[in-house]
Amino acid sequence: MTGNTYLVEEYRGRINRVMDYIDRNLERAISLEELASVANFSKFHFSRIFWAMTGETPFEFLNRLRLQRAASMLIMNPRESISGIAFQCGFSSLPVFSRNFKAYFSMSASQWKSRFLGHPEGLADFHRNMDQTNRNPGKTG
């Protein structure tokens, strides 16, 4: 194995470890410093490496996973309030969640919920929509 190949594999492992860490901790605030520490990089080097390997900043990745989890929870937990789901997914406030949700899915959370909930074709549409919005160009590995 050449030095460059080893380095790429080492970085890929570190970034995947961070991605898994984010996925396990979506409900709480996560700092760039914390993520860099998980990867054992400085925060500046970590940001550059993460973007180069995923095509997203760490914050974009975190936000996308939170929004996708919230979108799933809106369908799977129809009795749960939108604000409750927003907080469970790590958003600091309902307005922050609402702005991000609408920007990402091009509809409000309540529109999303009513569009996919209670319609036989809704679940298929839901999965198609989630596939289209899963912009992560490549979990590295």
Side-chain angles (χ1 to χ4, degrees), residues 14-23 35 38-39 46 50:
R14 291 183 192 194
I15 297 303
N16 280 339
R17 189 172 38 229
V18 169
M19 294 168 97
D20 291 341
Y21 182 85
I22 289 170
D23 191 48
L35 297 177
V38 170
F46 167 70
F50 192 95

Side-chain angles (χ1 to χ4, degrees), residues 11 15 32 36 39 41-59 140:
Y11 281 16
I15 297 303
L32 182 61
F41 287 128
S42 74
K43 67 181 182 180
F44 302 108
H45 189 61
F46 167 70
S47 292
R48 287 190 302 268
I49 296 299
F50 192 95
W51 184 85
M53 296 191 90
T54 67
E56 295 176 291
T57 67
F59 177 75
T140 62

Side-chain angles (χ1 to χ4, degrees), residues 9-124:
E9 290 304 314
E10 174 67 21
Y11 281 16
R12 180 174 288 133
R14 291 183 192 194
I15 297 303
N16 280 339
R17 189 172 38 229
V18 169
M19 294 168 97
D20 291 341
Y21 182 85
I22 289 170
D23 191 48
R24 288 189 314 271
N25 292 283
L26 287 176
E27 73 285 350
R28 62 179 197 76
I30 303 173
S31 69
L32 182 61
E33 290 81 7
E34 182 178 354
L35 297 177
S37 176
V38 170
N40 200 24
F41 287 128
S42 74
K43 67 181 182 180
F44 302 108
H45 189 61
F46 167 70
S47 292
R48 287 190 302 268
I49 296 299
F50 192 95
W51 184 85
M53 296 191 90
T54 67
E56 295 176 291
T57 67
F59 177 75
E60 288 168 339
F61 179 79
L62 172 63
N63 198 48
R64 180 173 59 81
L65 262 57
R66 285 178 171 162
L67 289 167
Q68 289 178 342
R69 180 168 293 170
S72 294
M73 289 177 72
L74 287 167
I75 305 306
M76 303 307 191
N77 304 309
R79 291 196 172 112
E80 182 76 41
S81 70
I82 291 173
S83 60
I85 289 172
F87 290 116
Q88 288 177 48
C89 292
F91 288 93
S92 59
S93 72
L94 185 57
V96 169
F97 169 73
S98 297
R99 265 193 316 276
N100 280 278
F101 195 95
K102 188 160 190 165
Y104 190 79
F105 289 105
S106 301
M107 67 180 79
S108 71
S110 58
Q111 289 170 322
W112 177 272
K113 195 172 186 175
S114 65
R115 177 178 177 185
F116 298 117
L117 197 59
H119 303 289
E121 68 283 352
L123 204 52

